[in-house]
Amino acid sequence: TDMATPTVRDAPSPTNTGMPTIFKPSMTPTMAQTLGPVATLQGGGYSQIAFASTRNGDAQIFMVNSDGTNLKQITTITGGACQPDWSPDGLLLVFISPCQVQQPDSPSNYKTARLYIINFDGSGLTEISSLQSGNFDPAWSPDGHRIAFASLTNGLAQINIINLVDYVVTPLTEASTDVRFPDWSRQPAWYPDGKKILYTGHSRLTNAPQIWIMSDLGQNQTVLINRGSVNWDFLPNWSPDGKTILFNETNGPQALGWLMLFDDTNPLTAAVHWRSGTQAGHGSFSPDGLWLVYQSLDPACTDCLNYKIYIVRNASGNSPIAVSGDQSQNFDPDWRPIASP
């Protein structure tokens, strides 16, 4: 893997966008449901997966057990909902709406998107009203106090953080006139301790998305995974122990490519294909790190063009297990976490 020289870039100044009128981090679910872990299925913790599906028309957020049982619809929003991301305690979801199911994925699809928060049982729907339209790719911080997201507010997509304690928005990236640095950045992913953020950055030097890393303050913005101008690398995700980076790779702008694994403890190693030959996207680790959830086409149906959600035990020869059912579009899976004891 080619490495760039680390370069410190000052983060733009934070801005106070005003207090949201409704959202309160302390809101609690109203539906009668056990909040703690139930009998453990695959993956540990709650053993549940949130994902978006068009099975009832517009894309909406659903939740399902990791064995494919107990499917529940979480949202019913006009215009649709997608990109769910769990709070670290597994009780809240942040997501975007409206949601357009378009391939290939492009920031231009999200010009009207806004961030919302909802309880895991579908109650307490709240818009983060202090933010403008054009916000997407939300990622909840491990401490639960911040949400990183991509924003089109000032033109090209850039990564910001909103603090859920004081509602100050801090820009972390900005478009660079230096072709070695990204002109747009998106898809933030937090390191387990909350001190580093992976993200997808597009630089004009290679004209391809690459995986970048920075501090949670926007400092030390450095390309981490650069596999050349032919390979597009995006959608990074850390393993729960912070040792492995899961990301997507395609040979251009097509929608579905391959999941890749990168050893973050040894940056001189090359990224490797996960389950060579398996086309997949949007991977997410289970809380115990032993399973992966991802979206892919049904390998048993040569005429099917709709995504399903699959889980499979990491680093094993086991066959994938379809958990989403249905022949609609099922995408953006995220495994429900559980807070540390």
Side-chain angles (χ1 to χ4, degrees):
T1 303
D2 298 323
M3 302 295 295
T5 302
T7 304
V8 176
R9 304 178 67 194
D10 293 334
S13 301
T15 57
N16 194 324
T17 58
M19 179 81 72
T21 57
I22 304 176
F23 174 60
K24 297 179 180 179
S26 61
M27 63 183 177
T28 56
T30 58
M31 183 180 295
Q33 183 171 341
T34 302
L35 299 186
V38 294
T40 301
L41 303 173
Q42 299 98 332
Y46 292 102
S47 300
Q48 292 171 319
I49 295 159
F51 65 99
S53 177
T54 60
R55 66 190 61 214
N56 294 330
D58 287 338
Q60 301 291 345
I61 308 299
F62 288 76
M63 185 170 67
V64 67
N65 288 345
S66 61
D67 63 358
T69 63
N70 202 26
L71 177 72
K72 293 182 179 180
Q73 184 168 340
I74 305 300
T75 65
T76 54
I77 299 179
T78 301
C82 62
Q83 295 187 351
D85 190 80
W86 288 101
S87 62
D89 60 7
L91 299 183
L92 300 170
L93 281 163
V94 62
F95 63 92
I96 70 166
S97 180
C99 178
Q100 300 180 15
V101 183
Q102 297 184 15
Q103 298 294 342
D105 178 41
S106 169
S108 62
N109 295 344
Y110 307 117
K111 291 181 179 179
T112 60
R114 304 181 74 96
L115 300 188
Y116 293 80
I117 291 175
I118 198 168
N119 292 315
F120 74 97
D121 60 9
S123 65
L125 174 65
T126 306
E127 178 186 348
I128 304 182
S129 57
S130 63
L131 297 176
Q132 302 178 28
S133 297
N135 299 309
F136 56 105
D137 290 346
W140 217 307
S141 67
D143 63 8
H145 296 155
R146 297 172 291 173
I147 293 175
F149 62 95
S151 177
L152 296 171
T153 301
N154 296 317
L156 294 173
Q158 301 298 333
I159 295 173
N160 295 258
I161 286 179
I162 183 169
N163 191 313
L164 299 179
V165 177
D166 56 18
Y167 306 99
V168 169
V169 174
T170 301
L172 297 190
T173 66
E174 57 186 1
S176 176
T177 56
D178 188 332
V179 296
R180 296 173 299 173
F181 289 96
D183 52 356
W184 59 256
S185 301
R186 55 175 299 196
Q187 298 170 345
W190 296 84
Y191 188 72
D193 67 2
K195 295 181 180 179
K196 293 184 288 186
I197 295 175
L198 290 172
Y199 61 103
T200 302
H202 176 274
S203 69
R204 294 184 297 279
L205 184 65
T206 61
N207 197 32
Q210 301 162 337
I211 306 301
W212 287 67
I213 190 171
M214 62 181 167
S215 77
D216 64 324
L217 301 178
Q219 299 172 334
N220 299 324
Q221 296 176 13
T222 306
V223 64
L224 180 65
I225 302 174
N226 174 9
R227 290 173 52 82
S229 59
V230 174
N231 297 308
W232 290 36
D233 300 315
F234 52 98
L235 276 173
N237 204 328
W238 250 303
S239 61
D241 62 8
K243 295 180 179 180
T244 303
I245 295 170
L246 180 71
F247 65 97
N248 247 78
E249 182 170 281
T250 63
N251 299 130
Q254 65 263 34
L256 195 63
W258 302 270
L259 287 177
M260 307 289 291
L261 292 172
F262 178 79
D263 183 359
D264 191 44
T265 64
N266 184 7
L268 296 180
T269 61
V272 298
H273 281 262
W274 173 80
R275 294 175 65 92
S276 181
T278 299
Q279 284 198 303
H282 210 117
S284 171
F285 285 94
S286 63
D288 62 13
L290 300 179
W291 293 76
L292 293 179
V293 62
Y294 60 93
Q295 65 191 45
S296 184
L297 299 174
D298 186 349
C301 182
T302 56
D303 296 327
C304 298
L305 298 177
N306 294 333
Y307 292 137
K308 285 187 175 182
I309 306 300
Y310 295 87
I311 69 167
V312 69
R313 193 169 178 87
N314 191 17
S316 79
N318 294 349
S319 297
I321 303 169
V323 298
S324 60
D326 194 69
Q327 290 299 325
S328 61
Q329 293 286 1
N330 301 283
F331 55 103
D332 292 353
D334 192 45
W335 210 304
R336 188 180 185 184
I338 182 171
S340 300

